Amino acid sequence: MCHQSLHASVVGMFSLLVLAPWLAATEPIDQSPPSAAQPAVDIELSISVREFDPAKPTGEIRCVVTNRTDQAIGIADRYDGDQIALIGDSHRWPLRLWDRTRDRPEPKKVVIEPGRERILFEFPLAEILRVQDPKSLRQDFEAGRPVLVWDWAARPAAPPSPIHARRDSGLVAKAVFHAELTVDDTVIASNKVVLRVGR
């Protein structure tokens, strides 16, 4: 029995050593920075303001990826809401910001060398946290202009954005966001950021 227990412990330790780099890659960046023994792809999400006033909208939300591994990585070259995504965590179901632009090209791969960083996206809060008129959305879509919309996997329809409680039912007190990046079929999550909402 003792021999079997020792063998199981050794196998378990070996499995953890093999998986360590991937486990490190999925840890949020707001914890301690990865050491040289724990290479990781870091995603940092930030907002330039602490509070958002819909009546006087200012500020931007920005996401940066840093390759802290010892190998080059390939990621999507543009925001699409799938391989690179901004998520709102303020509701029972997460909201995702999708690029619904007409005839948008499929993202291509861009290489990030070890130690280098790249801006994944940068959006004015005024553009992504407003109530959009369906008629204007349709006009933008048909004209080929950029169309970014929030949606979730639930029914009924999603709120207009993460700062909205429900359709036509006011605002939340604060909104929580994180970003996700797919690298080699592995989804890596960023830190979470909180944005207070003015009334």
Side-chain angles (χ1 to χ4, degrees):
M1 289 292 291
C2 186
H3 175 74
Q4 290 178 343
S5 178
L6 178 61
H7 176 73
S9 298
V10 170
V11 170
M13 290 176 62
F14 178 76
S15 298
L16 284 175
L17 287 173
V18 170
L19 292 174
W22 293 106
L23 293 174
T26 60
E27 291 178 358
I29 195 172
D30 55 356
Q31 295 183 3
S32 58
S35 67
Q38 294 178 308
V41 176
D42 288 346
I43 313 173
E44 184 174 8
L45 187 66
S46 62
I47 301 179
S48 62
V49 294
R50 298 183 66 182
E51 183 170 299
F52 179 77
D53 182 355
K56 299 177 181 178
T58 60
E60 296 178 329
I61 189 165
R62 185 174 189 253
C63 189
V64 176
V65 59
T66 303
N67 181 6
R68 300 191 188 280
T69 71
D70 57 2
Q71 296 181 353
I73 61 171
I75 65 170
D77 67 344
R78 56 180 293 274
Y79 185 91
D80 63 349
D82 183 19
Q83 297 181 61
I84 300 175
L86 176 61
I87 313 293
D89 298 303
S90 310
H91 297 78
R92 182 177 179 183
W93 296 284
L95 283 159
R96 181 180 292 253
L97 184 64
W98 291 97
D99 181 357
R100 299 301 191 200
T101 305
R102 183 177 185 175
D103 300 326
R104 66 189 183 279
E106 285 297 318
K108 297 178 181 178
K109 287 291 183 183
V110 62
V111 174
I112 304 178
E113 298 295 337
R116 303 302 295 270
E117 66 179 37
R118 178 182 174 88
I119 297 175
L120 294 177
F121 60 79
E122 190 168 16
F123 299 128
L125 294 176
E127 290 186 10
I128 65 169
L129 298 181
R130 61 190 171 92
V131 177
Q132 296 176 305
D133 175 55
K135 183 178 180 181
S136 296
L137 276 177
R138 171 60 63 181
Q139 290 174 345
D140 287 342
F141 176 80
E142 291 177 350
R145 290 188 288 268
V147 175
L148 295 172
V149 294
W150 294 94
D151 203 359
W152 60 18
R155 289 291 179 268
S161 85
I163 71 168
H164 295 88
R166 292 188 306 274
R167 285 193 176 276
D168 304 321
S169 64
L171 304 172
V172 298
K174 63 181 180 181
V176 182
F177 301 88
H178 79 274
E180 293 181 355
L181 171 68
T182 300
V183 180
D184 294 332
D185 297 323
T186 298
V187 177
I188 304 171
S190 76
N191 56 308
K192 290 191 175 185
V193 293
V194 178
L195 178 67
R196 294 199 300 267
V197 181
R199 303 281 176 151

